[in-house]
Amino acid sequence: MKILAIDDQQLVLLPLEKRLLELGYDVKIETDAVKGLELFESFTPDLVIVDINMPEMSGIDVVKHIRIAKKSQTPIMVLSGDTKDETITEGFDLGINDYMKKPLSLNEISARVKRLIGAPDVDSIVAKSNVMIQERCVGVVIPCYNEEERLFSKEFTDYIDKNSGYHLCFVNDGSKDKTLEVLKELQKGREDFITVYDCEKNGGKAEAVRLGMLHMAKKEDLDYIGFLDADLSTDLADFDDLVKTIETSEFKIVSGSRISRMGANITKESARKIISLTINFIIRKILKMDFKDTQCGAKIFSKDVIEVAFGEKFVTQWIFDVEIFKRMSIHFGLKQAKTMLCEQPLKRWIHADGSKLSMKDSVKIVGQLGQIAWVYRNKKSQMEPSLTN
C-alpha cells in the first residue's frame, strides 16, 4: 500500500513518514507541490495526503489536478491548519475523501488512513504514538558556551521526539571544553531536527544568538524562530506556551517574563532580584515601554521581523534584548512597536547553578544601558531626516 504525502513543511512530513512506515506502508514525501504531482505519476500511490496552504501550488490545485486533469479517483486526505468553511467545502466538492485539521495526533491520522485504504500485514504490533502534528513549525536557537556539564541533552531530545514541528539550533560559542562534542552526539540520528552551528571564536551570547537566528531564518519551512537558554531555566513546555500565544495573535514578538505570582515557580537570588529591579527601572525609561522583564532568555519571533531585530551586530553583550526592542521601536515607530510586542509571564523559571552572569557583570550592565541610550538616540536622529523626505 503506497502513500504520497505533500506538505511544504518538512518538520510535518518527517514524523508522519516515520509513523506510516512503522505501520507497514510504502511512503514517499515531498515539500514541493509540483514535484509532488510528478511523483503522483511515477509512484502511483493508493492514497495522497496533502496540505492546503503551500507557496508554489495550493493543496486545492493539487486536488483539482488529480480529480479533473487526471480524472483519477485515488483517495485524497487533506491535512491542514486551514479551518475556513469555504476551503473545506471546496475540497469535498472536488472529491476529497477526508479533511484533517491540524493539530492532531499521529494515532488519529493512522486510524483515518486505515479506514480509507486498509492496513498492511505486519509481523509485529506497533505501539501507539504520542506525537502531535502541529500547524506551525518553530526554530529554537540555544546559545552554548562551556555547557559540557550543564546541558540537559535528554530533555531536549525527549521534547523533539514527542513534539513535531520543532527544530533546535545549538550555537557553540567557541567553547573551551567538550561542548561541541556533546552537541554533535546530541545531533546524531536527529539531523533533520537538530542543527549544530559552530563559532570557532567566542563572541558572547548576543552574537551567538544573532548568528543562530539569522541562520535559522534561511529555513523556509519555519513560521517562528526564538531563543532559549541552554540551562533550561525556562523549560521547553513553557516556551511552547509563548509559541501558542504568537500563533494565535497579531504579535510579532512574545517575550517570557519572570514575574513572581501565585501559581508560578519563579526563583531568584535575593541580591540578584534587587539589582534586577534597579536595572529594569532604567530599561523602562530608555525604551519608553512598561516592560516588567526584558532580560528573560525565552523569546519567540515572527519570521518577518528577524532581519529588523538581528540584522546588525549588537552594541552590548549581555543586554541585547533591550536593543531588540529599541530596534523595533525605531523601525516601526514607538506606537506601532508597542502593539507588536507581548510580555507573557512564565509558569516556571529557576535560577541555574553555574550561571555565567556574575554580580559584578550585573553592575556593568548599568554602563551598557547608558551606551545603548546614546547609540540608539543617534540612530533615531539619523533616521528621522530620511523619514521626512
Side-chain angles (χ1 to χ4, degrees), residues 219-372:
K219 293 186 177 295
E220 294 181 358
D221 62 339
L222 298 180
D223 300 302
Y224 308 103
I225 307 171
F227 58 86
L228 188 67
D229 288 337
D231 60 21
L232 287 179
S233 49
T234 299
D235 63 17
L236 283 156
D238 229 2
F239 186 85
D240 194 61
D241 286 341
L242 304 183
V243 175
K244 289 173 183 173
T245 297
I246 200 169
E247 71 172 325
T248 55
S249 68
E250 297 299 318
F251 296 122
K252 296 296 184 182
I253 302 175
V254 177
S255 178
S257 180
R258 300 160 294 184
I259 301 172
S260 297
R261 68 192 195 287
M262 290 287 286
N265 183 12
I266 309 294
T267 67
K268 291 184 182 181
E269 298 170 337
S270 57
R272 182 183 291 266
K273 186 175 180 179
I274 294 169
I275 291 178
S276 294
L277 290 171
T278 304
I279 290 172
N280 185 254
F281 175 78
I282 301 171
I283 288 172
R284 289 202 305 271
K285 293 297 182 183
I286 291 173
L287 291 178
K288 299 179 181 177
M289 296 181 189
D290 191 27
F291 260 101
K292 299 294 187 294
D293 180 15
T294 59
Q295 299 312 110
C296 177
K299 291 178 175 62
I300 186 73
F301 297 74
S302 179
K303 201 172 180 181
D304 56 358
V305 298
I306 297 296
E307 184 60 32
V308 174
F310 298 94
E312 295 181 9
K313 279 193 173 186
F314 294 109
V315 174
T316 59
Q317 182 178 0
W318 294 113
I319 48 175
F320 65 95
D321 312 69
V322 178
E323 294 190 56
I324 289 171
F325 299 131
K326 195 66 182 175
R327 289 175 180 187
M328 291 290 290
S329 66
I330 291 174
H331 184 86
F332 294 102
L334 181 60
K335 184 177 180 180
Q336 186 179 351
K338 285 182 177 180
T339 68
M340 301 167 75
L341 308 176
C342 171
E343 191 175 20
Q344 179 168 309
L346 299 171
K347 295 187 183 75
R348 171 192 177 275
W349 186 85
I350 306 297
H351 172 71
D353 292 335
S355 175
K356 306 296 189 300
L357 190 62
S358 67
M359 299 300 287
K360 185 178 179 181
D361 290 325
S362 297
V363 175
K364 287 180 181 178
I365 285 176
V366 176
Q368 292 186 15
L369 285 171
Q371 189 179 7
I372 287 175

Side-chain angles (χ1 to χ4, degrees), residues 41-106:
E41 297 290 336
S42 59
F43 186 51
T44 59
D46 300 298
L47 172 67
V48 175
I49 301 176
V50 65
D51 184 25
I52 290 294
N53 299 319
M54 296 184 288
E56 302 299 326
M57 175 187 289
S58 75
I60 290 295
D61 289 331
V62 170
V63 175
K64 286 178 180 178
H65 180 86
I66 294 172
R67 288 286 184 261
I68 299 172
K70 293 299 175 182
K71 295 183 171 55
S72 170
Q73 293 306 307
T74 300
I76 302 174
M77 299 173 69
V78 170
L79 174 59
S80 177
D82 191 330
T83 59
K84 294 193 290 291
D85 181 67
E86 57 268 28
T87 304
I88 298 171
T89 302
E90 183 179 7
F92 279 110
D93 286 344
L94 286 168
I96 66 169
N97 301 83
D98 202 354
Y99 199 108
M100 300 176 287
K101 301 176 185 178
K102 302 174 187 174
L104 77 166
S105 71
L106 282 176

Side-chain angles (χ1 to χ4, degrees), residues 19-271:
R19 183 61 182 172
L20 294 175
L21 287 172
E22 288 173 347
L23 294 171
Y25 295 100
D26 183 5
V27 186
K28 288 194 182 297
I29 59 174
E30 181 52 63
T31 57
D32 185 305
V34 176
K35 291 180 180 177
L37 288 178
E38 293 173 2
L39 263 178
F40 177 79
E41 297 290 336
S42 59
F43 186 51
T44 59
D46 300 298
L47 172 67
V48 175
I49 301 176
V50 65
D51 184 25
I52 290 294
N53 299 319
M54 296 184 288
E56 302 299 326
M57 175 187 289
S58 75
I60 290 295
D61 289 331
V62 170
V63 175
K64 286 178 180 178
H65 180 86
I66 294 172
R67 288 286 184 261
I68 299 172
K70 293 299 175 182
K71 295 183 171 55
S72 170
Q73 293 306 307
T74 300
I76 302 174
M77 299 173 69
V78 170
L79 174 59
S80 177
D82 191 330
T83 59
K84 294 193 290 291
D85 181 67
E86 57 268 28
T87 304
I88 298 171
T89 302
E90 183 179 7
F92 279 110
D93 286 344
L94 286 168
I96 66 169
N97 301 83
D98 202 354
Y99 199 108
M100 300 176 287
K101 301 176 185 178
K102 302 174 187 174
L104 77 166
S105 71
L106 282 176
N107 291 329
E108 182 178 344
I109 296 173
S110 302
R112 289 172 180 258
V113 169
K114 290 177 184 177
R115 181 182 63 83
L116 266 182
I117 63 173
D121 293 326
V122 291
D123 296 331
S124 58
I125 297 173
V126 181
K128 292 283 186 180
S129 170
N130 58 3
V131 175
M132 295 290 292
I133 295 295
Q134 299 293 339
E135 181 180 352
R136 76 296 186 271
C137 291
V138 183
V140 187
V141 173
I142 302 121
C144 302
Y145 178 67
N146 292 348
E147 298 287 353
E148 177 188 355
E149 301 295 330
R150 295 202 311 164
L151 199 67
F152 298 104
S153 300
K154 192 173 187 303
E155 291 191 34
F156 286 114
T157 54
D158 283 353
Y159 194 84
I160 62 170
D161 286 346
K162 294 176 183 177
N163 296 271
S164 74
Y166 269 91
H167 189 116
L168 308 183
C169 175
F170 292 90
V171 181
N172 177 46
D173 186 24
S175 298
K176 294 178 174 60
D177 62 0
K178 295 181 180 179
T179 294
L180 184 58
E181 294 176 33
V182 172
L183 294 178
K184 291 290 186 181
E185 187 63 30
L186 182 69
Q187 183 189 35
K188 194 176 295 181
R190 295 180 175 86
E191 288 81 4
D192 291 318
F193 306 99
I194 295 178
T195 293
V196 176
Y197 187 102
D198 184 31
C199 303
E200 291 186 9
K201 294 181 179 180
N202 174 244
K205 181 180 178 181
E207 185 63 2
V209 169
R210 191 182 79 88
L211 292 174
M213 294 292 287
L214 293 175
H215 178 73
M216 292 298 278
K218 297 174 184 176
K219 293 186 177 295
E220 294 181 358
D221 62 339
L222 298 180
D223 300 302
Y224 308 103
I225 307 171
F227 58 86
L228 188 67
D229 288 337
D231 60 21
L232 287 179
S233 49
T234 299
D235 63 17
L236 283 156
D238 229 2
F239 186 85
D240 194 61
D241 286 341
L242 304 183
V243 175
K244 289 173 183 173
T245 297
I246 200 169
E247 71 172 325
T248 55
S249 68
E250 297 299 318
F251 296 122
K252 296 296 184 182
I253 302 175
V254 177
S255 178
S257 180
R258 300 160 294 184
I259 301 172
S260 297
R261 68 192 195 287
M262 290 287 286
N265 183 12
I266 309 294
T267 67
K268 291 184 182 181
E269 298 170 337
S270 57

